[in-house]
Structures are given as structure tokens and as C-alpha cells.
Amino acid sequence: MRIGPSPRRTQARFSALLSAVLIAAVPASALAGPADRYYERSFVVAAHQRCNLFRPQLAAALNAAAWQARGAALRAGADDRQMAETAARARARAAVTPCASGDLKTVKGRVETAFAGWSRTARMVFPGQRADWTADRAAYARPTWRLVQTGRTGASPVRFGVTGGLNRPDQLAAVVSWQGRSRPTGVRLVLRDKAVAPRPWLARELPPVAQRRVFWAAGVASAEDSLLAEGRETGQAWTFPAAAADALTGLDPREVFTVEFVFRDGSVTRSLFEVGDFAAGRAFLAMGRV
């Protein structure tokens, strides 16, 4: 059986190639820091939105690349205000670049060439500061993790992310296999409320209670074997509304959030997760299954 390159190596190769393509193709491009890469990718995304340069699958890939570049810039020390200004400059430049210009034709051709092999990539790893998101675009008959990060609450493994299957829509979920205690009566996702606290909270803990937003799980069922942690035979799958995924997408990649399990006696156990490149992973999934 042929073994292909690892998801992490494939991602690094594509990211480097795309950066080289954009640096060569976008006129007057600054060289090479994370904020520059975000500018370049934001410019191409904005130009596509104005001029319809690429087919939907490639547009989704570029969107994923832009989100990934934004996360890298923030982790390198940029802040939200700088990223907003960078994106605004990119959009302004795209707005005055003629759709028929030679520059855009060069960008279009080189990006399409860079994308030709990557469009068939099924799995990617999106590294974070302390935890990774693993994305999977492969088409499986059984439900699977399409985007997942692993955690724990005590001795019990927890997986959180997006599940889906050929005949099942993608859904945000937490799967837990309990070790030696009763089952919870409810599960909630807790994160910073951007409407109340617009600035990122970068401690390795949640912001104060008044600045938190809570999404309660909308349902629970026995977890499919394909969603369980390795070595576990049973577990619970708690599902969350789509608005919860959108709220996570809007957070700073350096922030954390928790999945909290509430028990009948009022006790709560928590599993801590990192926002990381959740937005980039969702955009990668938007390319469709392979």
C-alpha cells in the first residue's frame, strides 16, 4: 500500500507554495512575515469576490489559507486591530484593481497551478500553540470526525469538533467516554462573548463570568464507534447548535474555551480546548469531500 505524505507535511508544503506564488504574483508585495501573508491572501480573496476569479472549491481553499495566515499573524504578536487594518488595505487595493488586469491574470494562473494537487488532499492538521485541529475531507459511509481536537475531563477522554458522514450533515459535537462516574444531565460550551467583551482574552482560562457566552447542547445520543477515543467501546455524543460553531469561528486563535459537563448533584467537570485554527479548518471542509 502506498503511503502518502502526512497531513502536517502536506499543509506546510502547500502553505509555502501558496505564499511563494502570491509573493511572486501580487505586485508590490511585501516580503514574508505572517501579516504580509495575511495581506496577500486577503487581497486574492477580495479580488475573487469582486471578479469571480476561481471556482468554488478553490475559493474555499483560499479562504482557508487566509484564516490560517490570520491565526499565524496573531500568534506572532499582531492584534485584532492590526489584522482588521490589514484586511481593509487588502480589500481597498482589490477594489481598485481592474478585473481584466494582467496582474490578476498572473495571480489566477499561478494560484490555480499551486492548487491543482492540493485539491485532492483529504486530511490536514492545523497546529495551535498547545493543541491541533485535524480536518478530514474524505468521504466515509459511517459518521466520522470531520474536524476534531482531543481533550480530557479527569480520566475520561473528550473529543470535540465537527462530525459528519455521507448521509449526515456536519454538526458540532462533543463525544465523551466516561470513566467511573455517573452521566451528566447537560453539557454546555463556554467561551468569550464578543458582544460583551470585544477584546481577546488570552489567559489559559475563561474570562470572568459576565463576559462569557454559553451554548447548551441540543441533544445527546450514544456515540458511534467511529467517533470514540481509541480503546473506548462506549460514549455519549452531545450536539450543539450551528450558532456555536459560528461563535467559535469569530474568536482569537490564542483563546481557549471549555466543554462543561453538568451533573444531577450540581457538580461540573470541564475539558479545556484551544480555539486555534478552527476557522481555517471549517473553511478547508467547505472545499467538499474527496
Side-chain angles (χ1 to χ4, degrees), residues 117-141:
W118 196 64
S119 64
R120 296 185 292 273
T121 298
R123 297 183 73 246
M124 293 278 282
V125 175
F126 293 88
Q129 290 178 308
R130 294 177 175 82
D132 300 343
W133 289 100
T134 300
D136 194 338
R137 295 171 53 224
Y140 298 103

Side-chain angles (χ1 to χ4, degrees), residues 10-124:
T10 299
Q11 178 189 8
R13 183 180 302 164
F14 173 76
S15 182
L17 177 59
L18 183 57
S19 292
V21 165
L22 295 181
I23 288 170
V26 178
S29 172
L31 296 176
D36 299 324
R37 287 193 289 273
Y38 180 56
Y39 173 83
E40 292 155 1
R41 296 175 190 188
S42 296
F43 169 78
V44 178
V45 169
H48 162 72
Q49 291 171 345
R50 178 168 173 261
C51 303
N52 195 29
L53 298 175
F54 306 108
R55 61 192 185 276
Q57 191 183 35
L58 177 47
L62 289 171
N63 194 38
W67 278 108
Q68 186 182 11
R70 179 179 181 273
L74 288 168
R75 285 189 287 267
D79 59 35
D80 278 347
R81 179 185 58 80
Q82 292 170 322
M83 291 296 92
E85 291 173 351
T86 297
R89 286 192 293 108
R91 290 192 296 268
R93 183 174 170 200
V96 298
T97 301
C99 292
S101 74
D103 290 332
L104 280 188
K105 289 180 181 178
T106 299
V107 170
K108 183 175 186 293
R110 291 183 177 178
V111 170
E112 286 177 340
T113 298
F115 178 75
W118 196 64
S119 64
R120 296 185 292 273
T121 298
R123 297 183 73 246
M124 293 278 282

Side-chain angles (χ1 to χ4, degrees), residues 212-226:
R212 299 177 188 178
R213 188 175 183 184
V214 175
F215 293 92
W216 285 92
V220 61
S222 295
E224 302 274 357
D225 292 348
S226 52

